[in-house]
Amino acid sequence: MLPGRHHRPRAFHAAAVLLLGLAMSLFAIPAEPSSALAPNDVATNARAGETSSAQLPDSFQWSSSGPLIAPKPDAAHPVVSVKDPTVVQAGGKWHVFMTTANTQGAWSMAYTSFTDWSQAGSAPLTYLDTNPDIGNRYAAAPQVFYFAPERLWYLVYQTGPPSYSTSTDPGNPRSWSAPRTFDNAAGSGTLDYWVICDSAMCYLFSADDNGHVFRSETSVGEFPGGFRNTQLVLQDSKSALFEGGAVYRVQGSGTYLLMMEAIGSDGRRYYRSFTAQGLTGRWQPLAATESNPFARSNNVTFPAGAWTRDISHGELIRTGNDQTMAINPCRLQFLYQGMNPSASGDYSQLPWRLGLLTQTNTTC
């Protein structure tokens, strides 16, 4: 098995998590799905006029690009890997934020942008530690979105606890504010934070590398403050629910999709998926086994050659860029991290690169 990643200082208190799990129900009580927030004047927000009634299939097939985004080391940034991508489209460009690791095992973040995926490999990387408000701190696992009620961009990431920076211009790496911490959110021993909102509430999902998925909540009006009511919403073995979680609203429906990275019996990373009706609904398996995964080496083809056996921490391409995290089930694409199958050694030194999956078995 691949060694577990060490993206954050570990302040994990096993006894506290055990008590939390005993104190909380395993599944949240299903609730009626809420409608999405009305879009603001973001040019790429495609939710207005949704009519799709398409559903997610029960199984998936994908075709993968080769590596599209690779490290671009310089004298100040001896970077060996790029990973954990988050991606939005705004202003006619793709904006990608990612985790970086250097030769000393230090974790930070980088940004790139381009108008077409064919340009991704040649687009420059800007390291976010060059922004003095972020600086040379531990930072990893970003998620970017436009919070329409405030007309403000958010970059959610981990600095140990769940943190965020804000900006009015996602294309300007120096515009991001210094990180602030989400209050009262699940944070001790958790990682890979993910925010998603419906019309009334915002939810923060996280994992603990030990088979647990948590959810905290606040109202849209209180966001980014007021998080409370932490729930344990999924539980399985450590390898079956590991990390890299993400949650999306299926466009034109009340269905939500939760993806979680797992470690397979071959030691390779892959994704399982679950669905629920509403963000507080009960998560049911969709494509969630090694033989029927959401995305794994056994349901991905590589026309240019199999450059990875891991389908690891990534993000689906959204239909818009706001806090509702909507996806079109007819045109799924998945930006993910993979690496040379022969690579080994310390997790921080593994040569992760970013590639793009495109679904090939759509029924729409």
Side-chain angles (χ1 to χ4, degrees):
M1 292 171 62
L2 289 175
R5 80 176 181 204
H6 302 286
H7 269 189
R8 56 181 169 82
R10 294 284 180 172
F12 186 76
H13 303 293
V17 172
L18 178 61
L19 289 173
L20 181 62
L22 291 173
M24 299 175 181
S25 60
L26 182 58
F27 297 106
I29 299 173
E32 290 299 317
S34 301
S35 59
L37 288 167
N40 239 311
D41 59 347
V42 182
T44 57
N45 193 313
R47 294 187 298 103
E50 285 181 7
T51 59
S52 171
S53 60
Q55 298 297 312
L56 294 166
D58 295 327
S59 62
F60 296 84
Q61 296 292 324
W62 308 88
S63 177
S64 178
S65 72
L68 296 179
I69 300 176
K72 291 181 170 61
D74 59 34
H77 303 91
V79 172
V80 297
S81 71
V82 290
K83 58 194 309 295
D84 310 335
T86 183
V87 54
V88 292
Q89 193 174 40
K93 289 185 176 182
W94 294 104
H95 302 268
V96 181
F97 296 82
M98 68 205 81
T99 302
T100 63
N102 68 17
T103 53
Q104 286 75 49
W107 301 99
S108 189
M109 298 188 297
Y111 163 79
T112 191
S113 66
F114 42 86
T115 57
D116 187 85
W117 286 101
S118 63
Q119 303 168 341
S122 59
L125 289 183
T126 300
Y127 296 98
L128 293 191
D129 63 4
T130 60
N131 175 337
D133 287 327
I134 294 178
N136 188 25
R137 69 175 73 236
Y138 163 77
Q143 178 205 12
V144 66
F145 61 92
Y146 180 74
F147 189 60
E150 293 182 353
R151 304 174 70 88
L152 197 61
W153 289 88
Y154 275 75
L155 188 66
V156 175
Y157 53 104
Q158 56 201 43
T159 61
S163 302
Y164 66 91
S165 295
T166 60
S167 171
T168 57
D169 180 5
N172 179 359
R174 294 181 68 87
S175 69
W176 293 100
S177 66
R180 301 181 68 178
T181 301
F182 288 109
D183 62 315
N184 301 318
S188 178
T190 61
L191 76 170
D192 291 347
Y193 305 106
W194 183 269
V195 171
I196 182 172
C197 308
D198 58 24
S199 61
M201 302 293 290
C202 291
Y203 301 90
L204 180 73
F205 286 81
S206 60
D208 68 355
D209 275 359
N210 198 35
H212 304 93
V213 179
F214 300 96
R215 186 195 70 228
S216 301
E217 65 183 46
T218 188
S219 68
V220 169
E222 291 174 284
F223 181 85
F227 276 100
R228 54 192 175 269
N229 192 29
T230 299
Q231 300 273 338
L232 175 64
V233 295
L234 274 178
Q235 183 173 5
D236 207 325
S237 69
K238 176 178 179 176
S239 294
L241 290 175
F242 194 55
E243 59 189 22
V247 183
Y248 303 92
R249 182 177 65 87
V250 179
Q251 180 177 290
S253 75
T255 300
Y256 287 81
L257 172 72
L258 184 151
M259 300 163 43
M260 279 298 298
E261 185 177 352
I263 302 176
S265 57
D266 59 356
R268 298 294 176 172
R269 306 295 183 96
Y270 76 101
Y271 263 90
R272 305 174 68 203
S273 60
F274 305 81
T275 57
Q277 298 304 304
L279 284 165
T280 58
R282 181 172 302 210
W283 295 103
Q284 303 286 355
L286 177 64
T289 64
E290 290 193 56
S291 59
N292 181 33
F294 182 76
R296 187 172 178 258
S297 58
N298 60 348
N299 69 341
V300 176
T301 61
F302 296 87
W307 63 277
T308 180
R309 289 175 58 198
D310 293 276
I311 308 297
S312 186
H313 192 139
E315 183 173 308
L316 290 173
I317 303 298
R318 306 173 223 154
T319 61
N321 51 35
D322 72 7
Q323 72 284 346
T324 62
M325 301 292 155
I327 56 169
N328 185 339
C330 296
R331 295 188 296 271
L332 289 182
Q333 288 187 299
F334 182 32
L335 184 64
Y336 73 101
Q337 66 181 42
M339 67 172 181
N340 186 326
S342 65
S344 62
D346 184 81
Y347 187 84
S348 71
Q349 301 304 295
L350 295 176
W352 295 104
R353 306 292 186 264
L354 305 184
L356 184 67
L357 298 183
T358 299
Q359 186 188 1
T360 58
N361 71 326
T362 179
T363 58
C364 303

